[in-house]
Amino acid sequence: MKRSSPLGALGQWFQDSLPIWYDPCYRPPLQSARRLGVDPRRADWVAWYLTQAEKMSTSELRQPGRISYRSLARVHQGDLLEELGEPESLATHLGAPVEAASAVELAHTLRMACGGTLEAARKALRSRGPALNLLGGWVEAGPRGGIGLAQLNDVATAIAALRSEGFRGQVVVLQLGEAPITGLRACLEGVPKVWTARVSDKAPSGSAEQWLEALDQTLDEMPRGALTIVVCGSEALASGVGPDLDLAALRERDLKVEQALASRSRLYLPGGGGGRDAWRALAGTAVTVGLGRNAVIDADFNPLRARFAAIGHGLREEQLAHDDLSYGIAEELGHGRSGDRMLGYYTAEGIEHALYEYGFLDHLQRLGFRRFEVLVDALPMGDRMRLIGESEGERHMLVESTLSAETIDGEPYLFVHWLTLRNPHGQFTHRRPRLPGQDAPGLGMALEAGEVLRRMARRLGMAGVAMQPSWFHVAYTARYEFSFQTLERQARFVALIRDTRALPLDTTTRALAEGRILLNDAPYAWEADRMTTAHRHDPKALRAAAQTYRFTVKPAPEPGSP
């Protein structure tokens, strides 16, 4: 018997009208996942939005099963499938470095996504209604792989599997994103009754109005399929190529498609999409389809913050501040036994328990680390925490932070003197070079670490978190949550970002370190001033102040020149 939703009629109606497939492993375990054409956290953030905003409960999200190699082999060549778990071969396909442990986990992610697409397609056919899988829609992948994360064609795999199960109806594949569908056509060569269309082929560039007119034309031409697969990619939001579509245009797009497909079996897939708003686009599709209306996702809603707040509310003082804890996970993970307390409150055991609850340790396990230990001690500048993990018999320092309580403008703040997240197995590349201050690539958990610091400050009754970034790239990474204290300093920072946006982040950081940045034609040195989470400046005044500053970059000297 189906369990009733604890969220009331709204949550129950949403789940009944739109079953959704999701698994935490949908986040690719890669240090450079953002360069693969998708936001690595997109599926997580949509799932957290739907559950934290009370559209459905966590238990109502459907967990996929992993697709079989037999199903994949119907449309993919055997050597591709053999290479999926091999780090060197997989790195060649992805165009990004892959560690041994991550290769196995990434292959698992791809197969789980394909399994979710197949299960959602079956459900759509059974219910004659909609279904959504939060990862997939890789129509660009061909029999020998594709580009970036799109190495398996989940759409073709699902269609071929349905055909093997006796389904003979017309299939329609509607590509609303920017990725080409040539890979899908190659995978399905010889498979009958499959109609495909890519809307941007009719409107490769131009305004949202022109693209939406092309969509109307495509919907008029589209046959009435027994199953319609909609790939609702949002690449146009961040890529700057293709049609000029914003979130409002994407909402109108989704509503047009859903109205045209009402009462039909239809499967929605996310396709590609990076940038800050990628999750909002996909969440908007879910709400439009699930609730039958064009709903705006709250611009201020932060799914990571909402998720961590829910977890933080469940963490009790005795779990964080007592020494004699005994958890079921203790034997598996190991515990540091320092007698010191972080900020006079958190024990090593309490910090480790919190990292487990917030999902840090699960992510690190997918990167190949085990047997974690937290160590806490005191330094002259503050309290230090180190997270140690084991891999292949060696112990590695993965996280290190030094924190103290500081008074700023009469208010107590959690001051971050030092924070490093490091993957000792990671590799620097020309696309992701070493930045000043780095001795290893990051873990891909900077946003999560920042949110945990927020939670710590809140629990300790502090006004916020503060830091003094020694490098431009540190401030740039924190720019959405932290601001410099004075309007003029923040305005110079905003202007610097504006005037160097065409440059890679490492190029700007190095140019600053080498004295090649000019401010209003005068030499400029990076100002390592204090930033906090509590200061917010008036946007109009900030824009006006930023207009008074102009940054230019002098070219780097030729190699060998004096």
Side-chain angles (χ1 to χ4, degrees):
M1 178 179 295
K2 180 174 174 59
R3 184 184 62 81
S4 61
S5 169
L7 303 174
L10 177 63
Q12 187 63 61
W13 180 43
F14 189 92
Q15 170 59 11
D16 286 345
S17 60
L18 181 62
I20 298 175
W21 274 258
Y22 161 76
D23 190 274
C25 80
Y26 276 9
R27 177 176 178 175
L30 296 171
Q31 66 186 56
S32 55
R34 203 175 278 278
R35 297 184 182 274
L36 299 181
V38 297
D39 183 337
R41 298 176 177 85
R42 180 176 59 175
D44 287 342
W45 287 7
V46 173
W48 296 348
Y49 167 76
L50 294 174
T51 54
Q52 301 303 321
E54 299 192 349
K55 300 294 187 295
M56 61 196 308
S57 70
T58 301
S59 63
E60 288 171 330
L61 291 168
R62 305 188 182 207
Q63 185 177 32
R66 192 166 60 178
I67 198 79
S68 69
Y69 279 111
R70 181 179 181 182
S71 294
L72 291 172
R74 292 190 178 99
V75 299
H76 293 101
Q77 294 180 6
D79 53 351
L80 170 66
L81 304 181
E82 292 175 1
E83 293 168 356
L84 279 181
E86 300 175 0
E88 292 184 3
S89 299
L90 192 51
T92 300
H93 283 286
L94 295 174
V98 181
E99 292 74 50
S102 297
V104 175
E105 287 294 330
L106 181 58
H108 178 69
T109 293
L110 298 176
R111 290 181 63 190
M112 289 288 278
C114 290
T117 294
L118 176 56
E119 292 173 22
R122 288 171 176 155
K123 173 63 176 177
L125 285 171
R126 288 195 305 269
S127 66
R128 296 186 179 181
L132 170 63
N133 185 24
L134 292 183
L135 186 64
W138 299 316
V139 291
E140 62 266 49
R144 280 285 299 124
I147 300 173
L149 193 63
Q151 295 302 315
L152 296 176
N153 196 311
D154 59 306
V155 176
T157 299
I159 293 171
L162 292 173
R163 289 285 191 246
S164 73
E165 296 167 3
F167 172 66
R168 297 291 179 263
Q170 172 79 58
V171 177
V172 170
V173 181
L174 184 60
Q175 165 62 309
L176 304 180
E178 295 305 298
I181 55 178
T182 50
L184 175 67
R185 289 167 175 163
C187 287
L188 295 178
E189 186 175 358
V191 177
K193 300 177 71 174
V194 178
W195 185 91
T196 63
R198 177 176 177 267
V199 176
S200 286
D201 289 340
K202 298 180 183 294
S205 61
S207 67
E209 290 75 15
Q210 291 171 319
W211 191 91
L212 290 170
E213 289 176 3
L215 173 62
D216 289 334
Q217 181 182 347
T218 303
L219 292 174
D220 289 340
E221 297 169 353
M222 181 179 66
R224 184 179 180 88
L227 173 65
T228 302
I229 300 175
V230 182
V231 182
C232 41
S234 59
E235 297 96 329
L237 285 176
S239 65
V241 298
D244 184 18
L245 303 178
D246 57 11
L247 285 173
L250 294 183
R251 292 196 304 270
E252 186 173 352
R253 173 200 74 176
D254 292 339
L255 193 60
K256 284 176 176 286
V257 171
E258 181 60 14
Q259 289 173 342
L261 298 179
S263 75
R264 303 187 199 181
S265 297
R266 54 208 187 273
L267 166 61
Y268 287 87
L269 300 170
R276 294 189 71 210
D277 286 328
W279 80 266
R280 296 182 192 279
L282 182 55
T285 299
V287 173
T288 296
V289 176
L291 296 180
R293 62 174 183 262
N294 186 338
V296 177
I297 308 300
D298 184 355
D300 295 326
F301 188 89
N302 184 320
L304 178 64
R305 184 159 303 157
R307 170 70 172 170
F308 275 29
I311 294 172
H313 288 319
L315 293 174
R316 302 184 304 277
E317 180 177 351
E318 60 266 25
Q319 294 174 311
L320 301 174
H322 285 192
D323 292 307
D324 56 347
L325 299 181
S326 178
Y327 300 117
I329 63 170
E331 183 176 354
E332 176 185 352
L333 299 178
H335 286 281
R337 295 297 173 187
S338 169
D340 292 314
R341 291 174 180 265
M342 192 79 164
L343 302 168
Y345 182 88
Y346 296 96
T347 64
E349 295 89 341
I351 292 172
E352 188 169 317
H353 179 67
L355 293 176
Y356 174 81
E357 293 294 327
Y358 284 120
F360 270 80
L361 302 189
D362 285 342
H363 180 74
L364 294 177
Q365 285 180 340
R366 297 193 73 204
L367 294 179
F369 299 98
R370 299 290 187 275
R371 296 183 59 79
F372 301 106
E373 181 181 16
V374 170
L375 303 175
V376 173
D377 59 4
L379 298 178
M381 71 175 64
D383 296 336
R384 179 175 63 171
M385 184 279 292
R386 288 169 290 167
L387 173 65
I388 311 299
E390 182 178 301
S391 175
E392 299 178 352
E394 295 186 20
R395 305 289 281 169
H396 301 277
M397 196 269 287
L398 306 176
V399 180
E400 183 180 33
S401 66
T402 303
L403 311 176
S404 67
E406 303 286 340
T407 299
I408 301 174
D409 296 336
E411 296 285 346
Y413 276 81
L414 178 62
F415 197 92
V416 183
H417 296 274
W418 172 253
L419 173 64
T420 181
L421 311 172
R422 55 191 305 277
N423 182 356
H425 295 326
Q427 303 174 45
F428 291 113
T429 67
H430 72 282
R431 297 181 63 185
R432 185 169 178 155
R434 185 193 305 269
L435 294 171
Q438 283 188 315
D439 67 345
L443 293 168
M445 298 287 282
L447 293 179
E448 289 83 352
E451 199 54 45
V452 167
L453 292 172
R454 273 181 170 271
R455 298 301 310 169
M456 292 176 68
R458 184 182 182 89
R459 182 176 288 270
L460 296 175
M462 298 179 175
V465 183
M467 67 172 179
Q468 194 163 328
S470 300
W471 306 97
F472 167 71
H473 65 269
V474 176
Y476 181 86
T477 302
R479 67 193 184 282
Y480 294 120
E481 302 298 334
F482 286 77
S483 296
F484 287 100
Q485 287 185 272
T486 68
L487 177 69
E488 292 302 316
R489 177 64 187 93
Q490 181 67 14
R492 287 192 293 276
F493 179 55
V494 169
L496 178 60
I497 293 174
R498 177 198 66 208
D499 295 340
T500 61
R501 66 165 59 96
L503 300 176
L505 178 59
D506 68 292
T507 299
T508 302
T509 286
R510 294 183 191 284
L512 281 164
E514 296 165 3
R516 294 189 288 108
I517 299 284
L518 303 179
L519 169 57
N520 295 346
D521 299 322
Y524 175 75
W526 172 249
E527 304 166 83
D529 295 324
R530 204 156 46 196
M531 301 180 81
T532 76
T533 57
H535 287 81
R536 286 293 178 265
H537 303 288
D538 178 72
K540 184 177 180 180
L542 184 59
R543 285 194 298 271
Q547 291 301 317
T548 66
Y549 299 111
R550 180 177 59 87
F551 288 90
T552 54
V553 183
K554 296 167 60 178
E558 294 292 331
S561 62

